[in-house]
Amino acid sequence: MAARLIGEAGSALLHSYSQILFAESRWLGASVALASFVHPRHGAMGLLGALLSNALALALGLDRASIRRGIHGYNGVLLGLALGSLFALDPAGLLLLAMGCLLCVMLTAALGYALGQYFGLPALSAPFTLATWLSVLAALSLGGLRPAPVASSWFVGLLPALEPAWLWLPFQRLAAALFQTDAVTGLLLAAGLLLHSRVSVLLMAFGLLCAQLVHEFIGLRAELLEGYAFALSSMFSALALGGIFVVPSRSSFVLAGAGAVLSVVLLAASEAVLPAQLLPLTLPYTLVVWGLLLCLRLRGAEARGPRVAWLFAGSPEANLYQAREQQRRARVERLRIGLPFAGRWKVSQGVDGAHTHVGPWRFAFDFQALGQGGGLHRGAGLAAEDYFAFGMPVLAPADGTTWSCESAIADNPVGGINLERNWGNHVILQHSPGFFSCLAHLKKGSVRVVPGQPVQKGQLLGLCGNSGRSPFPHLHVQFQTQPALGAPALPFSFSDLLLWEDAKKRFLLEARPAEGAVVSNPERLAQPTRFWPGLSASMPGLLRQQWALCFHGKAETWTFGIDPLGRTFLESAPVRTRLTFRTSAEAFITLGLDGSRRTGLWLVGSLLQEVPFIDEPQGVEWLADGSDARMELECRPSEVRVRVERAPGLRFAGLRVGALARERYEVRLEAGQRIGVTRGGKPFLMARPEPLIVPTLEVLAGG
Amino acid sequence: MKKRYESPTLTRQVGGVTNKFGLGLGGKAHDRIDGVSITELRERYGSPLFIYSERTLKEKHRELQDAFSHRYPRFRHAWSYKTNYLKAICRSFQRLGSWAEVVSMMEYEMARSLGVPGRQIVFNGPYKPYESLKRALGDEAIVNIDSFDELEDVERIAGELGRTVKIGLRFNMSLGAQMSWDRYGFNLESGAAAEAIERAQSSGRVTVAGYHAHLGTFVYDPEHYRTAAVKLVDFHGTMKTKYGVRLEYLDLGGGFASRNRLRGSYLSTADLTPSFERYAEAICEPLLAGFAPAEAPLLILETGRAMVDEAGSLVSTVISTKRLNNGKRGVVLDAGVNLLFTAFWYDHEVLPVIERSGPPEDQVLYGPLCMQIDVVREQLRLPRLERGDPVLIRPVGAYNNTQWLQFITLRPNIVMVGENGEVSLIRERETVEYLQQREVLPPWLRD
């Protein structure tokens, strides 16, 4: 019991230190603490600050889990370090520190709630800044406080003179995070951070570099440059905007640089505004991060560039992996919109089309049925019936309920248009609250559904016609947030479609086909799940299957399991890798792959990102989203072959920085019998299911 | 050049009222098939000569695909081998993406030798000897079972193969005024079909994966297909609930009419023969409405005649002419029912290859066999045909090259005109040696 309490207290303390660098790691916390103790007085004040603020938070009855995570402690550490550099460590100073910590805790709780609730912003170290200011301002009136003596570090005299000076400058700057100027502090910090997250170090260095370049360009005052605030603002702005609150990517690095520069500018400005006693501390960085984050959060759904990380995962690298997994899971769980017809149709007008897909109705598609010979109509195309599209079934693009329909408008002759009832005969479906679809220009009298009738994806709604603003028989498809006819169209993508290019067929998991593209729905396999290990479709209950293989000379077994969240996975032993996947009627999708990269399971999992279950014995090419591997898929009822051509990249902390020679792999999944991988044509891996062997006890004779 | 002598004709003119049937077809010559001169082909390959047009074949295939692929999400054409199992024709369909439909072991082997994988072969028919059934099931072909005895065989084979086998069942049913042939398959109305399914599903080794319903041949009314489709959809609804049948495919056979005229038919083929579109509407509407989208089975059609009939033509030469006792002109061709088996029930189109300008005359076309039944056309109004005149008989693509006789004549050359205009021999003329290849004289009759 006591041990557990001590353990939790220790956690809270160490996490308070690591939260300064936005991490929740005890090792990092320890190294930050150690770094702070390079100047023992500062370090002691910092420690006291941490202890006091955590104790006060506990006393106030705040959430224990967040205390353990260090959320209520890091501002206290910073406060201790700041006050420690200003005032002496005597009872008066300690009292001020205590009051300051209480203020910190109050402000963290209050600001954290208010900002989070109303703006979706983190409190950052604003509580620390405000608490320090209030303490300093109060100290002006409190005469009993003595200023701090000159800081002395343990290492003075022990180390040789640090030459050349410019080499140690970055570490000196880094030490500003703890309100110190020793290169050794910075060195300790950097070491700890490097172990925890390389991208963080990279971002901080980048921010510093940008700020330094600004100085070279504009020229800041020397005092400003030497002060803590310069390095502090630039480094932390870059870190926060580059990888902590934003998913790391090339554009987030640009944002980080911009943030660093902006914070330096704001710093210069604040110097002019603030009275002499109030140091800018972390004000510029806080304001810059709040401002830019708020802007990012207010962007529209289609914005490109940096993506806000909605849940901080612990480090920029973890953010990136989590964002990727979320994207993949979102795609799986999102509504998959299918093409609303059978056979091959051509996109006669796409998004931003020249004729009618403009303004509020930009995101719409017009389709016309394509004949085998490549034409849109038989013969001369003088009558509407000559067009292949006329009278063809129009199917529901996704599950939903019929909202409204119209079926009595006459079809135009070829070339005629009806401008009064320009949508013509139509069906509007509701797929979910605020998500409707509209299929228009249907044939007179052909609508088969009535308002209120539930429809399934692929169900017949009506026949394609030539009513409304339609000179040639075609189908208009758009999605909208309101059910009214003519409501503005919503951006969307079709899922799982075949794109027919001259010689090749390409399978696209998600696409907005361009004008002139020929598309069709793929044919589905009858029984797709037979070939992937796991729950067998024919065996009810949880009969687990184990797979055995020999990879790189070592025996490996894969066991199937289901985790508490209901996700299916395969786990390898003895070296642990876990492949979390999901199998639906439409595709097999890898949700996550973690653990050792040296197992056969890792290889198979990284090659098979997504396998759609489509009937393509001749082979079809597709690009799995977000991947640079070229893949070709051949699907038969009892065997699936995936050919992957990819270049293994040199990765630095999850980001690609280079590429090696392209490798060709072929994965063969044979109906529950074998999973084989060949590399460059030669066999590389072969996994087979093992019958479950019940161990028997052997009694050895003799003695 | 010396002109051919045309004898003068004496025709009785009826003054006043003009002949309401007009002058009939003039002597317009049909000298070209897909741009290739028939006269040249005749000179090179002899007479009689079968000519197949690849372009027509592909057009028909496209028409079928156009009609069905937009109306139903999963459609597949299986080429009916019995209609024409010439390698070139089968390979053409294979290239176009069609599967194969066979009704005998012989055709099955033909399909396999062309490289058609087992899973793309539909094996129908009332006669499936044990070994052939075993082979087909072993190759995972689509086998449609015809009787309870066959079902018993399948169960035994499943045991021998050591796994569950998937089969289809053939059904026949009442189609309103007409009855689809009841000698094939299990009857829906009598309950035999349900019994067959029950037996198969409960055997533990057999799964029913498809239904097969070939309604008839030369079905003029597409509504019969609609009736059949509706009945099958209803039937499946019951079977799904009672026996848990998961339907993977629905085979509605063939039977579409081609542009050939049945004997005794008065209207022209253009008025009678329904287009693929009409058949497609009749079949796809009930299927699309009757099955839930996720459960929609693969629609297989075994269209044979309608695909290949118009692609085949026969060039024949007039051997002799005579005046019959009733005054009609009789013409003897070098091709008769030995090459045109379908002439027993069709009135093929017979067209002159060389231009003739005389008034049309009633003529009877006989073949070269010395048999009374050898009549190609009982009545034909054409300008008088003379000895040596070539004629074009069409459409002959369906069943003639599979049902032709070897009676007293050697089968002639068959050529195919490719889409690009290239002409190639696809079957060589037979020789006596070839005919007698399989014969052996018993020892006591040898020299």
Side-chain angles (χ1 to χ4, degrees):
Chain A
M1 175 69 184
R4 197 165 62 86
L5 273 172
I6 292 174
E8 280 191 23
S11 274
L13 192 67
L14 288 171
H15 285 161
S16 305
Y17 275 97
S18 73
Q19 282 284 2
I20 297 172
L21 293 169
F22 303 104
E24 213 178 290
S25 152
R26 275 179 286 193
W27 284 107
L28 183 60
S31 72
V32 174
L34 193 64
S36 74
F37 269 94
V38 166
H39 288 256
R41 185 167 295 116
H42 279 185
M45 284 292 261
L47 185 62
L48 278 171
L51 287 167
L52 277 169
S53 45
N54 278 326
L56 285 166
L58 200 65
L60 279 172
L62 294 171
D63 176 34
R64 284 202 173 190
S66 49
I67 297 176
R68 201 178 311 122
R69 286 174 57 201
I71 303 241
H72 294 280
Y74 73 94
N75 283 311
V77 173
L78 290 171
L79 182 71
L81 290 169
L83 289 181
S85 68
L86 292 171
F87 303 109
L89 200 64
D90 59 1
L94 284 173
L95 188 64
L96 188 66
L97 180 61
M99 291 301 109
C101 282
L102 183 60
L103 205 59
C104 244
V105 169
M106 258 172 51
L107 285 169
T108 307
L111 274 181
Y113 171 77
L115 285 171
Q117 186 81 346
Y118 295 108
F119 299 102
L121 295 173
L124 294 175
S125 48
F128 149 71
T129 309
L130 285 170
T132 312
W133 280 352
L134 288 169
S135 309
V136 166
L137 286 172
L140 290 174
S141 313
L142 301 169
L145 290 160
R146 287 191 292 118
V150 172
S152 63
S153 91
W154 286 352
F155 297 99
V156 168
L158 286 175
L159 286 177
L162 300 173
E163 290 289 338
W166 60 264
L167 190 65
W168 301 103
L169 191 65
F171 295 106
Q172 283 182 323
R173 294 267 183 264
L174 191 58
L178 297 176
F179 300 100
Q180 297 177 7
T181 48
D182 266 290
V184 185
T185 313
L187 199 64
L188 282 167
L189 268 179
L193 197 57
L194 204 64
L195 281 171
H196 172 73
S197 158
R198 274 71 58 199
V199 176
S200 295
V201 176
L202 192 67
L203 280 167
M204 290 176 99
F206 182 63
L208 204 57
L209 187 69
C210 287
Q212 194 76 26
L213 283 173
V214 166
H215 165 68
E216 300 293 321
F217 198 57
I218 313 179
L220 299 166
R221 286 189 298 129
E223 302 95 67
L224 206 64
L225 203 62
E226 296 304 322
Y228 303 127
F230 175 77
L232 203 69
S233 309
S234 51
M235 288 191 308
F236 277 79
S237 309
L239 179 60
L241 290 169
I244 303 295
F245 300 106
V246 174
V247 176
S249 64
R250 273 179 287 235
S251 45
S252 81
F253 265 76
V254 173
L255 187 69
V261 169
L262 195 58
S263 68
V264 169
V265 170
L266 224 66
L267 175 66
S270 64
E271 284 271 302
V273 168
L274 291 172
Q277 298 86 356
L278 295 181
L279 300 166
L281 295 170
T282 58
L283 180 70
Y285 135 73
T286 311
L287 288 176
V288 165
V289 174
W290 278 350
L292 283 173
L293 265 186
L294 196 59
C295 282
L296 288 179
R297 280 182 207 256
L298 290 174
R299 286 183 308 169
E302 289 294 303
R304 283 183 289 192
R307 273 198 322 265
V308 178
W310 295 98
L311 270 175
F312 179 51
S315 73
E317 289 91 331
N319 266 350
L320 186 63
Y321 298 143
Q322 193 182 70
R324 281 214 194 118
E325 195 179 309
Q326 270 176 4
Q327 201 183 28
R328 185 159 283 155
R329 192 171 296 133
R331 198 171 42 241
V332 166
E333 288 157 8
R334 186 169 47 207
L335 194 68
R336 298 181 86 96
I337 299 169
L339 293 169
F341 45 72
R344 299 191 312 160
W345 291 54
K346 187 170 178 174
V347 180
S348 54
Q349 199 188 162
V351 174
D352 283 329
H355 308 289
T356 49
H357 296 174
V358 291
W361 305 285
R362 277 177 66 206
F363 294 102
F365 292 89
D366 281 348
F367 294 101
Q368 282 187 286
L370 196 70
Q372 294 290 312
L376 296 171
H377 54 79
R378 283 178 282 270
L382 297 169
E385 290 76 18
D386 287 345
Y387 278 76
F388 290 112
F390 193 76
M392 291 304 149
V394 170
L395 314 172
D399 290 345
T401 321
T402 317
W403 184 272
S404 67
C405 58
E406 166 72 70
S407 192
I409 303 170
D411 295 299
N412 312 319
V414 169
I417 52 175
N418 184 344
L419 287 172
E420 268 178 40
R421 315 286 296 277
N422 60 327
W423 292 90
N425 298 315
H426 61 273
V427 173
I428 293 183
L429 301 173
Q430 178 180 36
H431 302 288
S432 69
F435 197 56
F436 299 85
S437 66
C438 177
L439 298 115
H441 308 309
L442 306 178
K443 189 173 169 192
K444 176 174 177 178
S446 72
V447 174
R448 299 292 156 95
V449 292
V450 291
Q453 179 179 348
V455 295
Q456 284 184 339
K457 180 174 177 178
Q459 188 172 329
L460 179 67
L461 298 175
L463 302 178
C464 182
N466 202 27
S467 57
R469 188 171 170 170
S470 170
F472 310 104
H474 74 284
L475 175 66
H476 176 96
V477 183
Q478 72 175 48
F479 280 77
Q480 47 202 56
T481 51
Q482 297 150 35
L485 187 63
L490 199 62
F492 73 98
S493 306
F494 287 106
S495 297
D496 308 320
L497 50 117
L498 280 178
L499 182 71
W500 297 73
E501 292 168 333
D502 314 299
K504 296 193 84 97
K505 264 188 293 194
R506 292 178 80 206
F507 178 81
L508 298 167
L509 271 156
E510 272 196 34
R512 287 194 192 151
E515 208 164 298
V518 176
V519 292
S520 72
N521 282 318
E523 270 192 42
R524 298 271 161 211
L525 283 181
Q527 277 185 345
T529 54
R530 281 195 301 150
F531 58 76
W532 184 252
L535 287 175
S536 169
S538 61
M539 286 193 276
L542 295 167
L543 196 66
R544 293 185 185 192
Q545 209 180 26
Q546 223 176 27
W547 289 61
L549 62 147
C550 191
F551 187 60
H552 283 326
K554 297 199 206 87
E556 195 178 304
T557 52
W558 300 348
T559 317
F560 168 78
I562 307 183
D563 73 5
L565 286 170
R567 293 181 299 190
T568 45
F569 64 87
L570 271 182
E571 195 163 290
S572 67
V575 183
R576 187 189 160 279
T577 303
R578 183 181 279 211
L579 167 65
T580 319
F581 64 90
R582 179 168 155 155
T583 307
S584 71
E586 293 165 341
F588 159 87
I589 297 177
T590 317
L591 287 178
L593 189 60
D594 47 44
S596 163
R597 290 183 190 220
R598 274 172 285 200
T599 56
L601 186 59
W602 178 278
L603 177 68
V604 174
S606 63
L607 289 173
L608 291 181
Q609 313 245 339
E610 336 215 11
V611 179
F613 296 141
I614 55 176
D615 192 354
E616 284 296 334
Q618 259 79 44
V620 69
E621 184 188 308
W622 99 102
L623 223 68
D625 199 24
S627 154
D628 53 358
R630 264 196 62 241
M631 301 204 224
E632 224 180 86
L633 171 74
E634 257 178 55
C635 257
R636 296 188 184 104
S638 66
E639 184 186 81
V640 172
R641 279 190 214 193
V642 179
R643 260 173 240 116
V644 182
E645 196 181 297
R646 69 175 186 189
L650 295 166
R651 285 177 184 272
F652 177 70
L655 301 173
R656 269 182 82 85
V657 288
L660 302 169
R662 290 194 91 84
E663 292 177 328
R664 280 194 349 258
Y665 289 91
E666 184 178 293
V667 184
R668 280 169 73 154
L669 304 162
E670 288 173 43
Q673 290 168 9
R674 254 197 302 261
I675 296 178
V677 179
T678 54
R679 183 168 82 169
K682 300 197 192 68
F684 195 62
L685 181 158
M686 183 75 75
R688 283 189 182 79
E690 285 225 303
L692 281 174
I693 301 170
V694 179
T696 54
L697 287 171
E698 269 189 37
V699 178
L700 293 169
Chain B
M1 204 188 82
K2 193 177 173 192
K3 280 197 175 170
R4 277 209 68 203
Y5 172 70
E6 286 182 12
S7 68
T9 48
L10 293 167
T11 324
R12 191 171 162 206
Q13 294 290 343
V14 178
V17 180
T18 47
N19 184 341
K20 71 172 172 180
F21 289 108
L23 286 172
L25 277 168
K28 186 169 179 291
H30 287 75
D31 184 45
R32 296 197 165 260
I33 286 185
D34 286 354
V36 179
S37 156
I38 295 182
T39 318
E40 267 175 45
L41 286 176
R42 193 164 146 257
E43 271 168 40
R44 207 170 140 201
Y45 295 102
S47 173
L49 176 68
F50 278 97
I51 305 175
Y52 279 94
S53 156
E54 195 189 19
R55 183 179 302 171
T56 314
L57 210 73
K58 287 193 167 174
E59 252 174 53
K60 282 285 159 188
H61 192 268
R62 267 186 226 130
E63 248 182 74
L64 192 74
Q65 281 293 119
D66 281 339
F68 282 88
S69 69
H70 296 128
R71 286 191 167 87
Y72 190 73
R74 300 178 66 206
F75 165 73
R76 183 71 64 175
H77 170 247
W79 168 240
S80 156
Y81 269 50
K82 63 185 176 295
T83 313
N84 194 317
Y85 40 64
L86 289 172
K87 270 193 344 206
I89 304 289
C90 296
R91 174 53 65 86
S92 298
F93 280 113
Q94 189 190 11
R95 281 268 167 83
L96 288 167
S98 298
W99 287 358
E101 187 252 338
V102 303
V103 294
S104 66
M105 200 51 204
M106 180 183 103
E107 294 166 280
Y108 188 89
E109 275 173 37
M110 283 177 173
R112 294 294 275 135
S113 77
L114 274 177
V116 183
R119 267 188 232 107
Q120 291 181 2
I121 302 182
V122 182
F123 192 8
N124 298 326
Y127 176 48
K128 300 190 193 78
Y130 192 82
E131 283 312 311
S132 63
L133 195 54
K134 184 164 178 186
R135 181 168 169 201
L137 288 171
D139 288 342
E140 291 189 33
I142 297 174
V143 182
N144 292 316
I145 301 301
D146 193 74
S147 62
F148 282 107
D149 292 319
E150 237 173 62
L151 195 53
E152 207 180 292
D153 277 352
V154 172
E155 286 165 12
R156 253 176 56 211
I157 292 172
E160 284 173 26
L161 289 176
R163 58 174 170 86
T164 337
V165 295
K166 281 205 275 195
I167 54 159
L169 295 174
R170 177 162 181 179
F171 300 136
N172 62 68
M173 64 203 82
S174 145
L175 297 169
Q178 201 177 310
M179 185 70 196
S180 78
W181 301 321
D182 61 351
R183 50 179 287 187
Y184 303 113
F186 306 95
N187 186 263
L188 273 189
E189 285 88 15
S190 71
E195 222 183 287
I197 290 190
E198 182 179 358
R199 177 160 167 186
Q201 294 285 92
S202 57
S203 72
R205 286 177 287 183
V206 177
T207 323
V208 174
Y211 301 153
H212 178 220
H214 182 86
L215 305 180
T217 189
F218 223 91
V219 178
Y220 265 136
D221 189 359
E223 292 305 301
H224 287 315
Y225 287 93
R226 187 189 296 271
T227 315
V230 169
K231 287 203 172 183
L232 287 170
V233 168
D234 272 338
F235 178 68
H236 178 64
T238 325
M239 292 301 111
K240 191 172 76 170
T241 351
K242 271 177 103 172
Y243 304 113
V245 175
R246 279 172 68 183
L247 203 59
E248 281 177 29
Y249 66 87
L250 187 60
D251 186 339
L252 283 175
F256 292 0
S258 77
R259 290 248 169 105
N260 230 325
R261 201 163 74 188
L262 287 174
R263 282 224 172 139
S265 158
Y266 185 65
L267 292 170
S268 79
T269 55
D271 298 329
L272 273 176
T273 316
S275 66
F276 286 151
E277 301 278 315
R278 285 189 53 207
Y279 287 112
E281 256 177 57
I283 293 173
C284 297
E285 256 188 296
L287 293 185
L288 206 56
F291 288 108
E295 292 177 353
L298 174 70
L299 173 64
I300 301 178
L301 283 182
E302 299 157 4
T303 320
R305 182 196 310 276
M307 301 286 272
V308 78
D309 221 359
E310 286 168 59
S313 318
L314 175 65
V315 173
S316 177
T317 313
V318 175
I319 298 186
S320 60
T321 61
K322 49 190 67 165
R323 183 71 53 190
L324 300 172
N325 283 353
N326 56 11
K328 260 190 174 170
R329 200 170 157 74
V331 176
V332 180
L333 301 172
D334 62 2
V337 292
N338 58 327
L339 297 181
L340 290 173
F341 198 69
T342 55
F344 284 129
W345 49 84
Y346 289 151
D347 274 338
H348 295 285
E349 222 181 335
V350 180
L351 304 161
V353 173
I354 294 179
E355 174 112 18
R356 283 274 170 262
S357 52
E361 213 181 289
D362 270 334
Q363 297 172 83
V364 188
L365 261 51
Y366 296 114
L369 310 177
C370 58
M371 296 177 69
Q372 270 302 96
I373 55 167
D374 191 7
V375 182
V376 176
R377 281 292 291 266
E378 298 213 3
Q379 164 129 346
L380 182 69
R381 274 187 84 80
L382 267 190
R384 176 183 298 190
L385 292 166
E386 302 290 350
R387 182 182 187 187
D389 280 356
V391 290
L392 183 67
I393 306 175
R394 63 176 195 194
V396 301
Y399 291 105
N400 288 306
N401 288 129
T402 50
Q403 290 177 332
W404 49 2
L405 306 171
Q406 254 177 359
F407 181 64
I408 70 173
T409 52
L410 296 166
R411 295 182 209 165
N413 282 326
I414 307 183
V415 296
M416 185 185 239
V417 179
E419 235 184 350
N420 52 6
E422 230 178 284
V423 178
S424 174
L425 193 63
I426 63 175
R427 190 179 200 273
E428 264 181 37
R429 170 207 325 266
E430 289 172 2
T431 57
V432 175
E433 215 181 297
Y434 165 81
L435 215 56
Q436 296 187 318
Q437 215 179 33
R438 303 305 255 181
E439 289 187 49
V440 181
L441 280 177
W444 61 87
L445 292 175
R446 293 186 200 153
D447 300 322

